[in-house]
Amino acid sequence: MSSNTHSFDPNTSDSRLFRAALGQFATGVTVVTCPSESGPLGFTANSFASVSLDPPLVLWSPARSSDRHAAFVNAKHYAIHILGQAQEKLCSGFARQADAFDLCDWSYSPQGVPLLSECLTRFECTQVAVHEGGDHSIIIGRVDLATVQAQEPLLFQGGKLGRFDAL
């Protein structure tokens, strides 16, 4: 191992160290949207993953401390939007506020879910399960409709947004 290698126990160390270690994994960036009693809501998340091809299932994990948590956990229908490089403002906007819909064109699905336009990919989902996952919830959804558009993805790694350069 190199001299700049650092090991630690995430159970007893400062949680910021663990967060920084997790941040070494480059991910795509999503905005998850749902309807709520107070209107349409959005949530920037990089905690997204595929679960199953048959049936088509995906998951994402909102923080339990978020003021938007209850709305998303209780939403029967929601959409996960994978952002493209040109959508950095959406990433930042929905990270700061739940109603940043003025930053893009959007419409409602037949189920009342806010759908963002011009995303790399959009998964319209029906919630099938919610599990506790420490300080987050794990929301699993069946994908009812997927919409894909050719463009470059927006990536997140080490606390920074970036792009993918193929080798």
Side-chain angles (χ1 to χ4, degrees), residues 85 152-156 160-166:
Q85 281 181 14
E152 295 298 317
L154 181 62
L155 300 180
F156 182 75
K160 298 176 186 157
L161 295 171
R163 55 186 258 176
F164 175 74
D165 289 324

Side-chain angles (χ1 to χ4, degrees), residues 64-131:
R64 296 166 64 91
S65 62
S66 169
D67 59 357
R68 299 172 241 181
H69 179 266
F72 282 98
V73 166
N74 294 316
K76 180 160 177 61
H77 298 281
Y78 60 91
I80 299 173
H81 307 80
I82 299 175
L83 301 186
Q85 281 181 14
Q87 295 177 305
E88 185 177 336
K89 286 182 183 178
L90 284 182
C91 171
S92 301
F94 283 107
R96 286 192 298 271
Q97 61 188 53
D99 61 351
F101 291 92
D102 60 333
L103 297 174
C104 64
D105 291 332
W106 65 280
S107 60
Y108 283 109
S109 75
Q111 293 79 19
V113 176
L115 303 176
L116 308 181
S117 300
E118 307 300 320
C119 294
L120 180 66
T121 303
R122 179 176 61 227
F123 300 106
E124 295 177 50
C125 302
T126 299
Q127 185 190 106
V128 296
V130 177
H131 302 284

Side-chain angles (χ1 to χ4, degrees), residues 1-53:
M1 292 202 155
S2 72
S3 62
N4 62 359
T5 300
H6 174 76
S7 297
F8 62 94
D9 179 348
N11 295 293
T12 59
S13 298
D14 184 338
S15 64
R16 290 176 294 185
L17 288 173
F18 187 52
R19 183 181 183 114
L22 292 170
Q24 295 304 306
F25 184 68
T27 67
V29 180
T30 69
V31 170
V32 184
T33 59
C34 75
S36 77
E37 291 180 9
S38 61
L41 295 179
F43 194 110
T44 298
N46 68 340
S47 58
F48 163 77
S50 62
V51 174
S52 170
L53 296 176

